[in-house]
Amino acid sequence: WLPQGPAAELIKLDAHAHLTVLDRDFPLSGSLRFPGRKICTIANGWYAHPTFHDTRAWPAPPEIEPILLSIHISKESDLTRERIAWLRSHEPVGCRDISTAEWLKNQGVNAFVSGCMTMTLRTNVVPGRERLLVDMPRTAAGWTSLRPVDWSLRRPPFAEAMQRAADMVDRLAAARKVRTRRLHCALPARAVRTPRE
């Protein structure tokens, strides 16, 4: 499979590429593991999310070459001059929501609404009969209750964590119906065409 579109959109590599996991909340870890090497990454998420009451995760180190998609900023005050300059240096910036795109445009950043990355999920699972109640206050007759946040996914090896995440997407896809108030459950369910309440 090769990407379609203008050649200018392709990233040219001078050597072999290696796949690695880059911690969104600590991108410096990539620079420390691969000093002096360019690290290309699809960067998506809530980049001003406080980690241990701090938000030093971005701007990322200069070795990191991000493709910014599905970026979310929860409040305009998170857009410091340094962060705006970093975003401008890596534009265009795909934004998860309209508010983030408008805030960035108001600061002169070339931004557009890309939506959430979870909307790109696909699966070939055959629909079943299970009805899932995801992060809802009480169970109802005929519904299976699930908690969507699984912090244990940060502990196993990457391949195992990815398999467990894929299994959860398959379970959403196989469900007859999903009832949730969690955006990060509703969007993947919609992406895999499971009816939601």
Side-chain angles (χ1 to χ4, degrees), residues 44-62:
N44 73 304
W46 179 2
Y47 272 88
H49 190 282
T51 303
F52 301 110
H53 304 289
D54 204 350
T55 56
R56 293 187 185 169
W58 68 295

Side-chain angles (χ1 to χ4, degrees), residues 89-170:
S89 71
H90 297 291
E91 57 189 14
V93 177
C95 302
R96 184 179 299 177
D97 53 89
I98 294 169
S99 296
T100 298
E102 291 303 316
W103 288 339
L104 293 180
K105 287 178 187 177
N106 288 340
Q107 297 296 327
V109 178
N110 180 5
F112 63 96
V113 177
S114 61
C116 186
M117 289 288 281
T118 59
M119 294 302 295
T120 64
L121 295 172
R122 295 291 178 264
T123 185
N124 294 320
V125 174
V126 176
R129 306 287 306 155
E130 187 176 40
R131 296 188 303 167
L132 298 175
L133 205 58
V134 182
D135 200 34
M136 298 295 284
R138 64 177 80 93
T139 56
W143 291 78
T144 302
S145 186
L146 291 178
R147 300 283 303 161
V149 178
D150 185 355
W151 295 111
S152 69
L153 286 175
R154 286 186 169 257
R155 288 193 280 281
F158 180 72
E160 180 185 336
M162 291 303 293
Q163 184 59 58
R164 287 171 57 193
D167 290 346
M168 179 56 79
V169 172
D170 285 346

